[in-house]
Amino acid sequence: MPRPLEGSPYAFTVPALIEAVPEARDRAWGLGLDLDEELTHDLKLLTGELVANSVTHTHAACVVSVRWTGERLCVEVTDVDSTLAVPSQALHTDEHGSGLFPVAGGGSGEGDLGVVGL
């Protein structure tokens, strides 16, 4: 059964371990939001990349917040570093480093996906 819209946002804390990334991605996906296949892919991609970037570069826990309005999906990852992350392009041979580039590229859909500082 899809999660009701008034049930969003949903937030959880991720420990400062790269091994926690798959569980965080699955936890966001497992919220039961009524998303089509493309948005489900974006949710997994955004959660995984943002959490991995956060725990890799801050070595601290982060908080993931997922909000679905029925029209817009928002994935926010808040960490302890006040420096705004800068997306960069990894080489196709790199095992790591795609980081925020898929996020800055807008996932698979259109809109204002990207990295913002608060």
Side-chain angles (χ1 to χ4, degrees), residues 89-102:
Q89 175 82 44
L91 298 174
H92 71 282
T93 55
D94 291 344
E95 287 190 33
H96 304 288
S98 62
L100 299 177
F101 187 75

Side-chain angles (χ1 to χ4, degrees), residues 5-113:
L5 294 181
E6 57 269 31
S8 288
Y10 179 80
F12 56 93
T13 301
V14 179
L17 303 167
I18 197 67
E19 296 82 11
V21 173
E23 183 180 339
R25 186 177 47 238
D26 292 345
R27 192 166 176 187
W29 174 71
L31 294 175
L33 298 174
D34 189 20
L35 304 175
D36 63 23
E37 187 175 330
E38 185 176 19
L39 279 175
T40 298
H41 173 267
D42 288 348
L43 173 62
K44 290 177 171 181
L45 174 70
L46 293 171
T47 303
E49 294 296 338
L50 290 171
V51 170
N53 187 276
S54 176
V55 300
T56 298
H57 295 288
T58 68
H59 306 287
C62 62
V63 175
V64 177
S65 174
V66 178
R67 187 171 54 248
W68 171 239
T69 67
E71 294 180 19
R72 178 169 290 217
L73 175 65
C74 180
V75 178
E76 298 174 341
V77 175
T78 305
D79 60 36
V80 298
D81 193 344
S82 62
T83 306
L84 183 60
V86 177
S88 62
Q89 175 82 44
L91 298 174
H92 71 282
T93 55
D94 291 344
E95 287 190 33
H96 304 288
S98 62
L100 299 177
F101 187 75
V103 178
S108 61
E110 294 184 26
D112 58 356
L113 296 177

